[in-house]
Amino acid sequence: HDAGIPVITYDKTTDDTDLVLTQIQTNDYDIGFYMGNLMAEYLKEEGKVMSVTTPSVSVSDRNRGFQEAIDQYPNMELIMGEAANALAETTLPVVESILQVNPDVIGWLGISETQSMGAISAIEAAGMLGQVTIIDMSASPTSLSFVKEGKQEVTIDQQAYQIGVLIGESALKNSNGEDVESYIAVPWYAITKDNVEEYEAMVAERSK
């Protein structure tokens, strides 16, 4: 910024808004709130749901969205575990502990691919895969295969490709002297068994 170079941030926000041209991201709270409401829809607004938070700001914002969505439903409860990070190996024992104390949990809300892989390993080891509704943010090949097989209900694509497009467009606009919005929200893409093949075809087309 001091050198006169426009700065574009993405995925993570900064409070130093005077230093950046624009911030491009999926709103973490909004996506968490959406996922929480989606879970309520799948569970017909009742039952225990679990999630795991970490010290990361983006994770805590998503979990806050989960919590405030679930709080709207009097017959639902969100059980929140805590881990040092969102890696599979740190998430797995936390989810194992939750399931031991709450064997009636019927939902998992995950904030990343690695976190969900740890949670799903714990759910499967407990013999509960198929009993627990799984909604996460990853759209990884593993998550997509779980969706196709019916092991997982929804995976959310944060649309990294679209973020890249918006970064390029913002840089081009700025170089052409056009105005660029200070904050650009990236829409997310919910993938279910009904549209997973369409999603995979879209990704394959992009890679050509």
Side-chain angles (χ1 to χ4, degrees), residues 154-168:
V154 185
T155 186
I156 307 288
D157 181 10
Q158 205 172 347
Q159 299 216 84
Y161 175 88
Q162 187 62 25
I163 290 173
V165 169
L166 290 168
I167 290 169

Side-chain angles (χ1 to χ4, degrees), residues 18-207:
D18 292 341
L19 300 180
V20 299
L21 173 67
T22 185
Q23 303 190 73
I24 299 170
Q25 73 151 33
T26 307
N27 185 291
D28 290 303
Y29 171 83
D30 286 352
I31 200 167
F33 193 78
Y34 167 79
M35 291 169 67
N37 281 305
L38 189 61
M39 179 65 77
E41 185 180 327
Y42 270 90
L43 299 184
K44 303 190 186 305
E45 301 182 7
E46 57 183 348
K48 289 183 180 178
V49 179
M50 62 179 169
S51 187
V52 173
T53 192
T54 79
S56 164
V57 172
S58 61
V59 173
S60 62
D61 281 349
R62 290 172 198 171
N63 285 128
R64 186 165 57 86
F66 294 162
Q67 185 71 68
E68 293 187 13
I70 297 300
D71 282 348
Q72 299 174 110
Y73 305 99
N75 294 323
M76 294 188 72
E77 178 185 355
L78 180 63
I79 298 163
M80 191 75 75
E82 231 178 288
N85 54 52
L87 297 178
E89 56 267 30
T90 50
T91 302
L92 190 150
V94 177
V95 174
E96 285 179 332
S97 296
I98 291 172
L99 292 176
Q100 286 169 4
V101 178
N102 303 276
D104 53 346
V105 162
I106 56 172
W108 161 256
L109 287 165
I111 54 84
S112 70
E113 172 188 358
T114 52
Q115 188 196 59
S116 280
M117 290 305 98
I120 290 169
S121 293
I123 292 166
E124 191 165 20
M128 297 174 68
L129 200 60
Q131 301 171 39
V132 177
T133 295
I134 296 169
I135 299 176
D136 75 1
M137 285 184 65
S138 67
S140 68
T142 302
S143 290
L144 294 173
S145 67
F146 279 173
V147 168
K148 284 192 282 190
E149 294 164 15
K151 294 180 179 179
Q152 177 171 340
E153 280 66 30
V154 185
T155 186
I156 307 288
D157 181 10
Q158 205 172 347
Q159 299 216 84
Y161 175 88
Q162 187 62 25
I163 290 173
V165 169
L166 290 168
I167 290 169
E169 288 178 349
S170 298
L172 185 60
K173 279 184 179 180
N174 182 70
S175 68
N176 289 336
E178 300 175 41
D179 289 336
V180 178
E181 295 177 40
S182 61
Y183 177 87
I184 300 172
V186 182
W188 55 82
Y189 191 102
I191 305 158
T192 67
K193 200 168 186 178
D194 292 336
N195 67 355
V196 62
E197 291 182 0
E198 175 188 327
Y199 172 82
E200 289 180 320
M202 179 179 71
V203 172
E205 184 63 29
R206 286 173 180 169
S207 64

